[in-house]
Amino acid sequence: MRTGKSDISGWLVRPAGGHLWAVLVTVLAASAAHAARTVPGGGMDNAIVVRAARTWLAGGSPYDDPHFLYLPSAVLAAVPQALLPGAVLRVLVPCAVTVLLALAWACALLLHRVPLGSRLAALGLTALALGFAPFGHLVLLGNWTVTATVALPLALLLASRGRWTGAGAVIGAAVALKPLLAPVVLLFLFAGRRRALAAAVLVPALASGAAALAMPDPAGFFTRTLPFLLHGDDGFVRLYEASPAAVLPRLGVPPALAQGLAAVAACAGVLCAYRRWRRADPGPLRLAETGAGLMLSAFLVSRPSYDHYLLVALPLLLAGLPYAGSVARGVWFWIALVPQVPGLTWPWLESERRRAFRDAFTLCVLAVTVARQALTGPGDAGGRVPPGRAPEPERAPAAPF
C-alpha cells in the first residue's frame, strides 16, 4: 500500500542488496550448524518421533512413550528418518527445519503480496533468527511443529487465490503429521467452504486410520495420548508450557480456575477471530489475522503449549508490516516480543524452568493484540485503510541500502 514517502513500508518492499542476503544466509547457516554440533540425533523432540518409528518397526507400540503426541500417520512418516544413521540426522534435521522456516516466511510474504526479493524478506527472516528465541529453539529441538509453521501460511496463500480445497488438503496433511493446526478448520466453517472442511478432516482421518491398522495398539492415540493432552499431568512438560492453564497454577491459582480462565479466554479469541472474518475488508490481512487469531486462541488453552508454537502465527503477522492498520504496526505487537529477545536476562526468570512465564506473557499479549484488532478494525498512527480498497504494498525501483 502506498502510504507516503515518509513511511518505512516503501523502504521495506524495495529490493534487498546482496549484502543483506549474505547476512541472512550466514545467520541461518550458523544456526543450523550450531544445532548440528550441539544436539545429537537431530534434536530432542525429533528423536521422540524417530524412536517411536523404530519401536514400531521392531513390533512395539509407539504410544508406549507418553511424550509421543502424534497421530498414527506420523509414525509412518517418520520411518524414513528411522532408517537413517544418527550422524546423518544430526546434520539433516536442523538444516531441514531451517529451510522449512524460511519457506514459511516466504509463503507469508506471498500471502501479503510482498516481493520475495524485498528488504522485508531478508531483514524479517534475519530478525526472526537473531531476535526471536523460539526460532533457535525450534531448530535445536527439531520439533515437527515446523510442518504446521509452513502449512498455515501455505494454506492461507492458496485460499487467497481461491483454491480453498487445496488449502483444506494442506491443513489436513499437516494435522496428519501433528494435530496442531486442527483449530484452523473453524476458518473453513467461517468461510462456508465445505469441500475445504471435508479435505481438512478426511485427509488426516484416512491417513491415521490406515496407519492405525498397522499398529499393535490401534487405539493408542485415544487411550494414551489424548488423556495425556487433556490432563497435562507430566511434571517435566508442565515446566515448559506457556499456556495460562499451566502457568497460573505455578503462581498459586487453583488448577481448575486456571483452566476455566484459559478456556474463557480461548472462546473469546475464537469469537474475535469470527468477528475479524465477518469484517470482510479486501486484502490479505483478513485471512492472516483470522488464522493467527484462531491459533493463538487455541494456544491459550491447549496442553501442552510451547514457545515455538508462536512461530505458527508470528510470520503471518510480521509479514503484514507494510500495510497500514496491520497488527505489526501496533506498539503492543512489539512489546509482546521483547521477552523473546535472546540474551536478555530477566530478574527471577533467568532459569530455563521459568522461561514459561516469559512465553506466557508473549502469548497472552499477542492474543489480546490480535483480538483487539479484530474488534476495533484497522488503524495506526498513519491513518486508517480506506474502506472498500484492497491495500497493496508499495513497489519501488531498486535503491542502495
Side-chain angles (χ1 to χ4, degrees):
M1 178 181 180
R2 297 186 178 274
T3 54
K5 293 182 179 180
S6 64
D7 197 295
I8 194 175
S9 61
W11 185 87
L12 284 173
V13 298
R14 293 190 182 105
H19 47 294
L20 291 181
W21 294 113
V23 170
L24 174 60
V25 171
T26 301
V27 168
L28 295 181
S31 176
H34 170 69
R37 293 182 67 243
T38 304
V39 185
M44 181 180 73
D45 290 355
N46 181 71
I48 294 173
V49 183
V50 171
R51 186 166 60 246
R54 288 173 176 164
T55 299
W56 175 71
L57 290 173
S61 172
Y63 295 103
D64 288 341
D65 184 351
H67 294 122
F68 180 71
L69 307 178
Y70 303 82
L71 292 169
S73 49
V75 178
L76 299 186
V79 167
Q81 287 191 68
L83 299 177
L84 293 174
V88 174
L89 288 177
R90 184 171 190 164
V91 176
L92 179 63
V93 170
C95 290
V97 171
T98 303
V99 169
L100 289 174
L101 286 171
L103 180 59
W105 176 240
C107 290
L109 291 171
L110 290 175
L111 170 64
H112 288 90
R113 308 167 193 168
V114 176
L116 293 183
S118 66
R119 288 166 175 162
L120 178 58
L123 292 174
L125 189 55
T126 303
L128 285 173
L130 286 178
F132 191 63
F135 187 103
H137 296 167
L138 186 54
V139 176
L140 278 170
L141 292 172
N143 193 283
W144 281 28
T145 296
V146 71
T147 58
T149 301
V150 177
L152 182 57
L154 175 58
L156 297 182
L157 176 62
L158 291 172
S160 71
R161 298 179 177 181
R163 300 171 61 183
W164 283 90
T165 303
V170 168
I171 295 298
V175 170
L177 294 176
K178 185 171 184 175
L180 196 63
L181 292 185
V184 180
V185 300
L186 292 175
L187 175 61
F188 302 136
L189 286 175
F190 295 169
R193 301 287 178 168
R194 296 181 180 178
R195 291 184 179 179
L197 177 62
V201 173
L202 289 177
V203 168
L206 294 176
S208 295
L213 295 177
M215 304 287 163
D217 183 11
F221 179 82
F222 297 99
T223 59
R224 302 189 190 186
T225 300
L226 199 56
F228 177 88
L229 291 173
L230 292 175
H231 298 293
D233 53 354
D234 186 291
F236 174 78
V237 169
R238 193 181 304 119
L239 292 172
Y240 300 93
E241 290 188 69
S243 166
V247 170
L248 289 178
R250 297 176 66 179
L251 297 174
V253 178
L257 177 59
Q259 189 70 37
L261 291 174
V264 170
C267 291
V270 171
L271 291 176
C272 289
Y274 178 69
R275 172 78 176 268
R276 180 63 185 93
W277 180 258
R278 293 287 294 175
R279 194 178 77 237
D281 50 297
L285 293 181
R286 183 191 187 196
L287 276 167
E289 292 174 2
T290 303
L294 287 172
M295 292 309 304
L296 290 171
S297 299
F299 297 155
L300 289 173
V301 73
S302 66
R303 305 289 304 275
S305 182
Y306 301 125
D307 65 334
H308 52 80
Y309 286 9
L310 295 169
L311 282 164
V312 175
L314 187 61
L316 288 171
L317 301 175
L318 184 60
L321 187 60
Y323 292 90
S326 67
V327 171
R329 290 290 188 96
V331 63
W332 283 102
F333 173 82
W334 298 101
I335 290 175
L337 303 184
V338 171
Q340 303 302 329
V341 176
L344 186 59
T345 302
W346 294 86
W348 302 288
L349 300 179
E350 300 94 337
S351 168
E352 278 298 310
R353 294 191 170 194
R354 291 188 175 183
R355 73 157 293 117
F357 295 105
R358 288 182 277 158
D359 301 334
F361 174 87
T362 299
L363 170 60
C364 292
V365 174
L366 274 181
V368 170
T369 301
V370 174
R372 181 178 179 274
Q373 176 83 343
L375 294 176
T376 61
D380 66 359
R384 291 182 176 273
V385 178
R389 289 179 55 189
E392 285 285 347
E394 180 181 347
R395 262 60 170 185
F401 184 93

